[in-house]
Amino acid sequence: MTDADQAREQISGQTRGQTREQTRQDAVETALGKLDLDTKARLLAGQDMWSLPAVPGIGLKSLVMSDGPIGVRGVRWTADDPSVALPSPTALAAAWDPALARRAGRLLAQEARRKGVHVLLAPTVNLHRSPLGGRHFECYSEDPLLTGAVGSGYVNGVQDGGVGTTVKHFVGNDAETERFTVDCAIAPRPLRELYLAPFEAIVANAHPWGIMTSYNRVNGTTMTEHRYLVNEVLRGEWGFDGYNVSDWMAARSTAGDIEGGLDVAMPGPQTVYGPALAEAVRSGEVAEATVDGAVRNVLRLAARVGLLEGAPAVVAEPPAHLDGQALARELAVRGSVLVRNENGALPLDAAAGGSVALIGAAARSARVLGGGSATVFPERIVSPLDGLTAALPEGALTFTVGADPSDELSPADQGFELRAVCRDASGAVLGTGSLPSGQVQWIGDDLPEGAAYETMASIEVTGRFVPRESGEHSFGTRGLGAFALSVGGTPLWEGVQEMGDEADPFEAFFGAPAERARTTLTEGEPVEVSLTYQVPDMTAMPLKAIMFSLLHLGPRRDADELIAESVAAARAADTAVVVVATTERVESEGFDRRDLRLPGRQDDLVSAVAAANPNTVVVVNAGSPVELPWREDVAAVLLTWFPGQEGGAALADVLLGDAEPGGRLPTTWPAEFADAPVTEVVPTEGRLEYGEGLFIGYRAYEKHGVTPAYPFGHGLGYTDWSYESLEVTPDSVRVRLTNTGTRPGRETVQVYVAPLADTVERPASWLAGFAGVEAGPGESVETEIPLPARAFEIWDEEARGWRPVAGSYEVRASHSHADTRLKATLDVT
């Protein structure tokens, strides 16, 4: 095809797109004109937990939403409907590759379509303001540019598949403590330059079809009612034309929310919209034109995803099918960050026939995703033990527990085959559902077939347990209500758990486990287990949900004895691989962290193993930073985040050199908690001051002269790179580099800018762009990285706009924020 043919085809495609867009707009206006006030008000309120109502009279089908940062749950939170589980967003950001994020988004769109979901409640683009943020595993980075770039890739990918996104949580939801009511006090410049910046970039570069507003207040105003940030900034300045949905149960004021730009109040049917909104219009409190604007946004969304008659969907033909397992594995490899590798400890040489001692409870029972609403149930999970067993020759691998991340009970999982049986007051069975673990998590209509809140009197979690170890086993519960527990046909406990001091329902439901009984069991001998829960009256509850868990903990062995066993195994092996991890009690939705320590005796375990075997590799299975006090005593440290369902296979690929660890740190890793520049996440009298202003993450470390354990952007591969030349223009940076190692590899070229003299308060340097390059041994490669004008601008509150700051800047081509390879001077006028 000639250049002229390509140009004509492009123009033709643009014309077709414009025609289809006009057809959608016409269909939206026609449908809107047929609606009466009550129907319009009802359309803005959920009909249930996850969907909006259908309106057959205008050809509108019901629109279904679902959580989806790492996998699409669907409308049922159950293992009966398994989901592909990708690595955590921190792992996706660690790949520093928007194109890879786009592929992840396309896979999730494929999953959504399979499950009948039209809109994903993702991505989460709040910043890593403090490492204590309990939900940071669900966010991307401490840097707004990297967050915006990865988030744009994700949104573009999902919407490539014809599925909508809702970029969240707009804005200031950077911690979990008192998240429903906290007032985040953020000055204009950091609000614009940091916290709003990722949302602005995604609106500009990915045109998302939805935004989710958060629970919290910003500078005194609840976000669902924030006219300035929603109507003036998001819709006005940025031109956002999608729908604005509340976080679940965040909408609190009928007139305040609709006037503040909130289109949809979820979940339903009991919300501040619906009949209450229609009455507010009839009483003159709200103009019907304001309601029409919100309905128009909802109809536009429905048209885009193909749910409005007469409106062509934006995507007529979805992209080519993707292999979920293969992509999950690739993402886990690409997001793994090798932060230490002394004397070429990695990759391991499997061909040499060396022995490997695999150590750590998390190696056998991997934590592949974070806790809370992002949780999904994958069809399979490949643990590190599974992955290395499959990859190494028979007899090369030994395994010892070493130290468990937690001595608390956890949801019944390994060795359990469970189901949930729902009964009415007479004991008759209404319905049954399988459980991947002892957790029952039913919200809204997410119930087994035949079951209903109105008729259920009890739920029994029942099944068989085959112990892996002989000894005294502990059983317990988590959740609120009346329970009865039996094991092997013997009643062990009956009682009621009441609400404690928890302010967040997620903390109440997923918080502290309670041990109820202990019983002695024999390895390999199955026993029947049963936990019966009495269903409370939910008539007056605005959100119907049932959440409780059957918990278990195996025989408690002396921690020193377990560590000694692992030390002996490590001493006898050529290489020791220790897997350490956080738990759902450390990183989850609903609460923040109190410190950065690894739970349990894991630090003692690593120190003891490292003393026994100098060739010790530590794998860190955590969604966000943890302290690594032994990091200088081990040969290698590999961060795998929450690696998704294929994490163990990906780990084997990386450790054995079948793939290069491709990740770079998306957030700074402090040496110890005291070094973290921002540690305040607990409000004072309901107010959380963002007193650090512009200085979070690497910007703050640099300001305070603190050296972290591992800097922002850091990561090692299995080859070396020489940066050869740097050319800078006002619009771009061109970097040439050579792979000087013996293996093919990938390098992430990072561009930072630093003012040589400053007339305004700013960080000493900041990320302005990045790009990934690949080359074989001895090959050179060149990359051009755009240099955005925004990199040299600040938000001027007096002028209420962006303004450039003239002067001389040092432009740095870097391997990480702390590792500058080349630099040049650029004068900005």
Side-chain angles (χ1 to χ4, degrees), residues 86-372:
L86 301 180
S88 62
T90 42
L92 184 59
W96 286 62
D97 188 346
L100 186 64
R102 189 164 192 161
R103 289 174 56 211
R106 286 182 172 180
L107 174 64
L108 294 177
Q110 176 180 297
E111 284 280 281
R113 296 176 80 102
R114 179 176 68 84
K115 293 188 170 215
V117 170
H118 309 110
V119 177
L120 287 187
L121 304 174
T124 304
V125 300
N126 301 107
L127 296 185
H128 296 172
R129 172 179 171 264
S130 166
L132 293 182
R135 205 173 177 181
H136 277 3
F137 60 87
E138 195 178 319
C139 309
Y140 291 128
S141 171
E142 69 188 25
D143 183 79
L145 186 142
L146 178 59
T147 297
V150 175
S152 293
Y154 178 104
V155 169
N156 277 318
V158 173
Q159 294 181 177
D160 284 346
V163 175
T165 55
T166 51
V167 187
K168 63 183 187 181
H169 305 88
F170 189 73
V171 63
N173 186 187
D174 308 297
E176 294 293 281
T177 305
E178 298 180 25
R179 62 177 174 154
F180 292 104
T181 57
V182 60
D183 183 10
C184 299
I186 313 174
R189 278 193 62 199
L191 181 60
R192 289 282 189 157
E193 296 179 24
L194 295 178
Y195 303 102
L196 286 173
F199 292 94
E200 182 181 9
I202 293 170
V203 169
N205 299 322
H207 194 61
W209 299 344
I211 291 281
M212 180 189 290
T213 44
S214 52
Y215 296 113
N216 55 281
R217 292 176 286 166
V218 171
N219 298 328
T221 303
T222 300
M223 277 309 305
T224 57
E225 304 175 38
H226 215 302
R227 300 187 193 189
Y228 171 66
L229 289 180
V230 173
N231 289 338
E232 295 185 33
V233 176
L234 175 63
R235 295 199 185 279
E237 292 180 25
W238 301 350
F240 172 70
D241 69 350
Y243 90 127
N244 174 15
V245 62
S246 71
D247 204 339
W248 267 226
M249 301 182 70
R252 304 177 182 93
S253 166
T254 299
D257 286 335
I258 196 71
E259 295 288 351
L262 181 70
D263 298 322
V264 175
M266 289 294 291
Q270 299 180 45
T271 80
V272 297
Y273 285 175
L277 180 56
E279 178 56 33
V281 172
R282 291 190 174 100
S283 68
E285 188 178 5
V286 172
E288 187 166 358
T290 303
V291 175
D292 287 348
V295 174
R296 182 176 289 108
N297 293 332
V298 172
L299 293 175
R300 185 182 299 116
L301 172 66
R304 284 169 169 166
V305 298
L307 297 179
L308 182 63
E309 188 176 300
V314 170
V315 176
E317 187 67 31
H321 181 82
L322 289 168
D323 183 326
Q325 289 185 7
L327 184 55
R329 184 170 181 167
E330 180 185 353
L331 290 171
V333 167
R334 291 285 307 280
S336 296
V337 183
L338 184 61
V339 294
R340 179 177 172 85
N341 193 23
E342 294 299 294
N343 301 317
L346 292 179
L348 304 178
D349 187 357
S355 58
V356 176
L358 181 62
I359 298 166
R364 181 175 63 185
S365 303
R367 189 173 185 207
V368 300
L369 44 78

Side-chain angles (χ1 to χ4, degrees), residues 451-493:
Y453 292 105
E454 295 75 18
T455 54
M456 271 193 302
S458 68
I459 301 167
E460 182 186 14
V461 173
T462 182
R464 190 178 77 151
F465 172 49
V466 181
R468 295 188 297 188
E469 300 170 275
S470 297
E472 191 175 54
H473 289 251
S474 300
F475 291 84
T477 64
R478 184 165 54 195
L480 309 176
F483 299 92
L485 171 68
S486 67
V487 177
T490 302
L492 297 181
W493 178 80

Side-chain angles (χ1 to χ4, degrees), residues 610-635:
N613 188 331
N615 198 27
T616 293
V617 176
V618 182
V619 177
V620 182
N621 179 196
S624 50
V626 292
E627 291 178 352
L628 309 175
W630 32 259
R631 66 187 182 281
E632 299 295 331
D633 302 324
V634 300

